[in-house]
Amino acid sequence: MQEPLGIQRTDPAMSDVTIKVRESGPYLVKGPVTVTDVDGTPYVITGESIALCRCGRSGSKPFCDGSHRDVFVATERAPHA
């Protein structure tokens, strides 16, 4: 089975990065990543994980600020093999 977007699960560059889809919440990204704006300018990231907004309500996009609480509902699940 081919991975989405051509990403292979064994890609060494991604081996230390995980992205968790949180129920009715942000994407939780753990590991060494670089987030850039539309011009390619990197954001300064401190800590070992970041939360990326997926509801569109955050005042600090692309990062989550908790604005999704009580108004954003999403329960995506990975397909079973």
Side-chain angles (χ1 to χ4, degrees), residues 21-66:
V21 178
R22 299 190 61 205
E23 189 165 325
S24 298
Y27 294 114
L28 184 60
V29 182
K30 292 184 178 184
V33 296
T34 301
V35 178
T36 61
D37 68 11
V38 297
D39 298 320
T41 305
Y43 287 91
V44 175
I45 299 174
T46 59
E48 296 180 9
S49 64
I50 56 173
L52 295 175
C53 176
R54 65 183 182 123
C55 75
R57 300 178 58 91
S58 176
S60 61
K61 287 184 203 88
F63 305 103
C64 176
D65 68 0

Short mmCIF file of all heavy atoms in Angstrom, two decimals, residues 21-66:
data_model
loop_
_atom_site.label_atom_id
_atom_site.label_comp_id
_atom_site.label_asym_id
_atom_site.label_seq_id
_atom_site.Cartn_x
_atom_site.Cartn_y
_atom_site.Cartn_z
N VAL A 21 -3.72 13.48 15.37
CA VAL A 21 -4.97 14.21 15.17
C VAL A 21 -5.75 14.07 16.47
O VAL A 21 -6.13 12.98 16.87
CB VAL A 21 -5.78 13.62 14.00
CG1 VAL A 21 -7.09 14.37 13.83
CG2 VAL A 21 -4.96 13.65 12.71
N ARG A 22 -5.95 15.18 17.15
CA ARG A 22 -6.67 15.15 18.42
C ARG A 22 -8.15 15.33 18.16
O ARG A 22 -8.55 16.17 17.36
CB ARG A 22 -6.14 16.22 19.36
CG ARG A 22 -4.63 15.95 19.63
CD ARG A 22 -4.06 16.78 20.71
NE ARG A 22 -4.76 16.51 21.95
CZ ARG A 22 -4.83 17.38 22.95
NH1 ARG A 22 -4.24 18.54 22.85
NH2 ARG A 22 -5.47 17.08 24.05
N GLU A 23 -8.97 14.55 18.85
CA GLU A 23 -10.41 14.63 18.65
C GLU A 23 -10.92 16.02 19.01
O GLU A 23 -10.70 16.52 20.11
CB GLU A 23 -11.11 13.58 19.50
CG GLU A 23 -12.57 13.46 19.18
CD GLU A 23 -13.21 12.21 19.75
OE1 GLU A 23 -12.53 11.17 19.82
OE2 GLU A 23 -14.37 12.31 20.14
N SER A 24 -11.57 16.65 18.04
CA SER A 24 -12.12 18.00 18.19
C SER A 24 -11.08 18.99 18.70
O SER A 24 -11.38 19.89 19.48
CB SER A 24 -13.34 17.98 19.11
OG SER A 24 -14.36 17.18 18.56
N GLY A 25 -9.85 18.82 18.24
CA GLY A 25 -8.77 19.71 18.66
C GLY A 25 -7.71 19.84 17.58
O GLY A 25 -7.94 19.49 16.43
N PRO A 26 -6.54 20.34 17.95
CA PRO A 26 -5.49 20.62 16.98
C PRO A 26 -4.72 19.37 16.56
O PRO A 26 -4.91 18.28 17.11
CB PRO A 26 -4.57 21.56 17.76
CG PRO A 26 -4.69 21.08 19.16
CD PRO A 26 -6.15 20.71 19.31
N TYR A 27 -3.84 19.56 15.59
CA TYR A 27 -2.84 18.55 15.26
C TYR A 27 -1.72 18.73 16.27
O TYR A 27 -1.18 19.83 16.42
CB TYR A 27 -2.26 18.74 13.85
CG TYR A 27 -3.26 18.54 12.74
CD1 TYR A 27 -3.63 19.59 11.93
CD2 TYR A 27 -3.79 17.28 12.48
CE1 TYR A 27 -4.53 19.41 10.89
CE2 TYR A 27 -4.68 17.09 11.45
CZ TYR A 27 -5.05 18.16 10.66
OH TYR A 27 -5.93 17.97 9.64
N LEU A 28 -1.34 17.68 16.97
CA LEU A 28 -0.25 17.74 17.93
C LEU A 28 1.00 17.17 17.25
O LEU A 28 1.03 16.00 16.87
CB LEU A 28 -0.57 16.96 19.19
CG LEU A 28 0.47 17.02 20.30
CD1 LEU A 28 0.68 18.46 20.77
CD2 LEU A 28 0.05 16.15 21.46
N VAL A 29 2.01 18.02 17.05
CA VAL A 29 3.22 17.64 16.35
C VAL A 29 4.35 17.52 17.36
O VAL A 29 4.65 18.48 18.08
CB VAL A 29 3.60 18.68 15.27
CG1 VAL A 29 4.83 18.25 14.50
CG2 VAL A 29 2.43 18.93 14.32
N LYS A 30 4.97 16.34 17.43
CA LYS A 30 6.10 16.12 18.34
C LYS A 30 7.32 15.76 17.52
O LYS A 30 7.25 14.95 16.60
CB LYS A 30 5.79 14.98 19.31
CG LYS A 30 4.70 15.31 20.30
CD LYS A 30 4.51 14.18 21.29
CE LYS A 30 3.45 14.56 22.31
NZ LYS A 30 3.32 13.54 23.34
N GLY A 31 8.43 16.37 17.87
CA GLY A 31 9.68 16.07 17.19
C GLY A 31 10.26 17.31 16.53
O GLY A 31 9.67 18.38 16.55
N PRO A 32 11.44 17.15 15.93
CA PRO A 32 12.14 18.28 15.33
C PRO A 32 11.53 18.67 13.99
O PRO A 32 11.71 17.99 12.99
CB PRO A 32 13.57 17.76 15.16
CG PRO A 32 13.41 16.28 15.01
CD PRO A 32 12.22 15.92 15.86
N VAL A 33 10.76 19.75 13.99
CA VAL A 33 10.14 20.25 12.76
C VAL A 33 10.42 21.74 12.60
O VAL A 33 10.72 22.43 13.57
CB VAL A 33 8.61 20.03 12.73
CG1 VAL A 33 8.27 18.56 12.74
CG2 VAL A 33 7.93 20.76 13.85
N THR A 34 10.28 22.21 11.38
CA THR A 34 10.36 23.63 11.09
C THR A 34 9.03 24.03 10.47
O THR A 34 8.58 23.41 9.51
CB THR A 34 11.50 23.93 10.09
OG1 THR A 34 12.73 23.50 10.65
CG2 THR A 34 11.59 25.43 9.80
N VAL A 35 8.40 25.05 11.03
CA VAL A 35 7.16 25.59 10.48
C VAL A 35 7.50 26.94 9.87
O VAL A 35 8.12 27.79 10.52
CB VAL A 35 6.08 25.76 11.58
CG1 VAL A 35 4.81 26.38 11.00
CG2 VAL A 35 5.78 24.43 12.26
N THR A 36 7.12 27.13 8.60
CA THR A 36 7.42 28.39 7.92
C THR A 36 6.13 29.07 7.50
O THR A 36 5.11 28.42 7.27
CB THR A 36 8.30 28.17 6.67
OG1 THR A 36 7.61 27.32 5.77
CG2 THR A 36 9.63 27.54 7.04
N ASP A 37 6.19 30.41 7.37
CA ASP A 37 5.03 31.16 6.89
C ASP A 37 5.00 31.10 5.37
O ASP A 37 5.83 30.45 4.74
CB ASP A 37 5.03 32.59 7.44
CG ASP A 37 6.15 33.46 6.90
OD1 ASP A 37 6.84 33.07 5.92
OD2 ASP A 37 6.36 34.55 7.46
N VAL A 38 4.04 31.80 4.75
CA VAL A 38 3.89 31.74 3.30
C VAL A 38 5.10 32.27 2.53
O VAL A 38 5.30 31.92 1.37
CB VAL A 38 2.61 32.49 2.83
CG1 VAL A 38 1.38 31.84 3.39
CG2 VAL A 38 2.66 33.95 3.19
N ASP A 39 5.92 33.09 3.17
CA ASP A 39 7.12 33.61 2.54
C ASP A 39 8.35 32.76 2.80
O ASP A 39 9.45 33.10 2.33
CB ASP A 39 7.40 35.04 3.03
CG ASP A 39 6.28 36.00 2.66
OD1 ASP A 39 5.75 35.88 1.53
OD2 ASP A 39 5.92 36.84 3.49
N GLY A 40 8.19 31.66 3.56
CA GLY A 40 9.31 30.78 3.86
C GLY A 40 10.07 31.17 5.11
O GLY A 40 11.09 30.58 5.43
N THR A 41 9.58 32.17 5.84
CA THR A 41 10.23 32.60 7.08
C THR A 41 9.86 31.64 8.20
O THR A 41 8.67 31.42 8.45
CB THR A 41 9.79 34.04 7.45
OG1 THR A 41 10.06 34.90 6.34
CG2 THR A 41 10.53 34.53 8.69
N PRO A 42 10.84 31.06 8.87
CA PRO A 42 10.52 30.09 9.93
C PRO A 42 10.01 30.78 11.20
O PRO A 42 10.46 31.86 11.56
CB PRO A 42 11.85 29.39 10.19
CG PRO A 42 12.89 30.34 9.73
CD PRO A 42 12.28 31.17 8.64
N TYR A 43 9.06 30.11 11.83
CA TYR A 43 8.61 30.53 13.16
C TYR A 43 9.63 30.04 14.18
O TYR A 43 10.27 29.00 13.98
CB TYR A 43 7.26 29.90 13.50
CG TYR A 43 6.09 30.48 12.76
CD1 TYR A 43 5.68 29.94 11.55
CD2 TYR A 43 5.38 31.55 13.28
CE1 TYR A 43 4.59 30.45 10.88
CE2 TYR A 43 4.29 32.08 12.62
CZ TYR A 43 3.90 31.52 11.42
OH TYR A 43 2.81 32.03 10.75
N VAL A 44 9.78 30.77 15.27
CA VAL A 44 10.63 30.31 16.36
C VAL A 44 9.79 29.37 17.21
O VAL A 44 8.73 29.75 17.70
CB VAL A 44 11.14 31.50 17.21
CG1 VAL A 44 11.92 31.00 18.40
CG2 VAL A 44 11.99 32.43 16.35
N ILE A 45 10.25 28.15 17.35
CA ILE A 45 9.52 27.14 18.11
C ILE A 45 10.37 26.72 19.30
O ILE A 45 11.52 26.35 19.14
CB ILE A 45 9.20 25.91 17.24
CG1 ILE A 45 8.31 26.34 16.07
CG2 ILE A 45 8.54 24.83 18.06
CD1 ILE A 45 8.05 25.26 15.06
N THR A 46 9.78 26.80 20.48
CA THR A 46 10.46 26.32 21.68
C THR A 46 9.68 25.13 22.21
O THR A 46 8.47 25.03 22.03
CB THR A 46 10.54 27.42 22.75
OG1 THR A 46 9.22 27.84 23.08
CG2 THR A 46 11.34 28.61 22.26
N GLY A 47 10.36 24.23 22.84
CA GLY A 47 9.69 23.04 23.36
C GLY A 47 9.77 21.88 22.40
O GLY A 47 10.28 21.99 21.29
N GLU A 48 9.24 20.75 22.85
CA GLU A 48 9.34 19.51 22.08
C GLU A 48 8.11 19.22 21.23
O GLU A 48 8.13 18.32 20.41
CB GLU A 48 9.58 18.34 23.02
CG GLU A 48 10.90 18.43 23.75
CD GLU A 48 11.12 17.27 24.69
OE1 GLU A 48 10.34 16.30 24.64
OE2 GLU A 48 12.07 17.33 25.47
N SER A 49 7.02 19.98 21.42
CA SER A 49 5.83 19.74 20.63
C SER A 49 5.11 21.05 20.36
O SER A 49 5.29 22.04 21.06
CB SER A 49 4.89 18.76 21.33
OG SER A 49 4.42 19.30 22.55
N ILE A 50 4.29 21.04 19.30
CA ILE A 50 3.48 22.19 18.95
C ILE A 50 2.08 21.71 18.61
O ILE A 50 1.88 20.56 18.23
CB ILE A 50 4.06 22.99 17.76
CG1 ILE A 50 4.24 22.10 16.53
CG2 ILE A 50 5.34 23.69 18.13
CD1 ILE A 50 4.64 22.84 15.29
N ALA A 51 1.11 22.58 18.75
CA ALA A 51 -0.27 22.28 18.38
C ALA A 51 -0.64 23.19 17.22
O ALA A 51 -0.56 24.41 17.33
CB ALA A 51 -1.20 22.49 19.56
N LEU A 52 -1.03 22.59 16.10
CA LEU A 52 -1.40 23.35 14.91
C LEU A 52 -2.92 23.40 14.79
O LEU A 52 -3.60 22.38 14.86
CB LEU A 52 -0.80 22.72 13.66
CG LEU A 52 0.72 22.73 13.58
CD1 LEU A 52 1.19 21.97 12.34
CD2 LEU A 52 1.25 24.16 13.57
N CYS A 53 -3.44 24.61 14.58
CA CYS A 53 -4.87 24.83 14.46
C CYS A 53 -5.43 24.11 13.24
O CYS A 53 -4.83 24.11 12.18
CB CYS A 53 -5.14 26.34 14.33
SG CYS A 53 -6.87 26.75 14.06
N ARG A 54 -6.60 23.50 13.41
CA ARG A 54 -7.30 22.95 12.25
C ARG A 54 -8.76 23.39 12.21
O ARG A 54 -9.49 23.02 11.31
CB ARG A 54 -7.18 21.44 12.18
CG ARG A 54 -7.82 20.68 13.29
CD ARG A 54 -7.53 19.18 13.09
NE ARG A 54 -8.18 18.43 14.13
CZ ARG A 54 -9.05 17.46 13.93
NH1 ARG A 54 -9.36 17.12 12.70
NH2 ARG A 54 -9.59 16.83 14.94
N CYS A 55 -9.18 24.22 13.17
CA CYS A 55 -10.57 24.69 13.18
C CYS A 55 -10.71 26.04 12.47
O CYS A 55 -11.81 26.43 12.09
CB CYS A 55 -11.10 24.80 14.61
SG CYS A 55 -10.48 26.22 15.54
N GLY A 56 -9.60 26.79 12.34
CA GLY A 56 -9.64 28.09 11.69
C GLY A 56 -10.00 29.25 12.61
O GLY A 56 -10.07 30.39 12.18
N ARG A 57 -10.22 29.00 13.90
CA ARG A 57 -10.65 30.05 14.82
C ARG A 57 -9.50 30.68 15.61
O ARG A 57 -9.68 31.70 16.26
CB ARG A 57 -11.68 29.49 15.79
CG ARG A 57 -12.93 28.96 15.09
CD ARG A 57 -13.91 28.36 16.06
NE ARG A 57 -14.33 29.30 17.07
CZ ARG A 57 -15.39 30.11 16.98
NH1 ARG A 57 -16.14 30.06 15.91
NH2 ARG A 57 -15.70 30.93 17.97
N SER A 58 -8.33 30.09 15.58
CA SER A 58 -7.21 30.56 16.40
C SER A 58 -6.78 31.97 16.03
O SER A 58 -6.70 32.33 14.85
CB SER A 58 -6.02 29.62 16.25
OG SER A 58 -4.90 30.13 16.95
N GLY A 59 -6.47 32.76 17.04
CA GLY A 59 -5.94 34.10 16.81
C GLY A 59 -4.44 34.08 16.63
O GLY A 59 -3.83 35.12 16.39
N SER A 60 -3.82 32.91 16.77
CA SER A 60 -2.37 32.79 16.62
C SER A 60 -2.01 31.75 15.56
O SER A 60 -1.06 31.00 15.71
CB SER A 60 -1.73 32.45 17.96
OG SER A 60 -2.21 31.21 18.44
N LYS A 61 -2.82 31.69 14.48
CA LYS A 61 -2.56 30.73 13.40
C LYS A 61 -1.12 30.85 12.91
O LYS A 61 -0.61 31.96 12.86
CB LYS A 61 -3.50 30.99 12.23
CG LYS A 61 -4.92 30.57 12.50
CD LYS A 61 -5.73 30.79 11.23
CE LYS A 61 -7.17 30.95 11.51
NZ LYS A 61 -7.59 32.30 11.79
N PRO A 62 -0.49 29.78 12.59
CA PRO A 62 -1.02 28.44 12.39
C PRO A 62 -1.11 27.64 13.69
O PRO A 62 -1.48 26.46 13.66
CB PRO A 62 -0.02 27.80 11.44
CG PRO A 62 1.29 28.39 11.85
CD PRO A 62 0.94 29.82 12.22
N PHE A 63 -0.79 28.24 14.81
CA PHE A 63 -0.78 27.52 16.09
C PHE A 63 -2.15 27.59 16.76
O PHE A 63 -2.90 28.55 16.58
CB PHE A 63 0.31 28.08 16.99
CG PHE A 63 1.66 28.06 16.34
CD1 PHE A 63 2.21 29.21 15.81
CD2 PHE A 63 2.36 26.87 16.21
CE1 PHE A 63 3.43 29.19 15.17
CE2 PHE A 63 3.59 26.84 15.57
CZ PHE A 63 4.13 27.99 15.05
N CYS A 64 -2.46 26.59 17.54
CA CYS A 64 -3.73 26.52 18.26
C CYS A 64 -3.66 27.40 19.52
O CYS A 64 -2.66 27.40 20.23
CB CYS A 64 -4.00 25.08 18.67
SG CYS A 64 -5.48 24.87 19.66
N ASP A 65 -4.74 28.14 19.76
CA ASP A 65 -4.82 28.92 21.00
C ASP A 65 -6.00 28.49 21.87
O ASP A 65 -6.34 29.16 22.83
CB ASP A 65 -4.88 30.42 20.71
CG ASP A 65 -6.18 30.84 20.03
OD1 ASP A 65 -7.06 29.99 19.77
OD2 ASP A 65 -6.32 32.06 19.75
N GLY A 66 -6.62 27.38 21.52
CA GLY A 66 -7.73 26.86 22.30
C GLY A 66 -9.09 27.39 21.90
O GLY A 66 -10.09 27.06 22.53
#
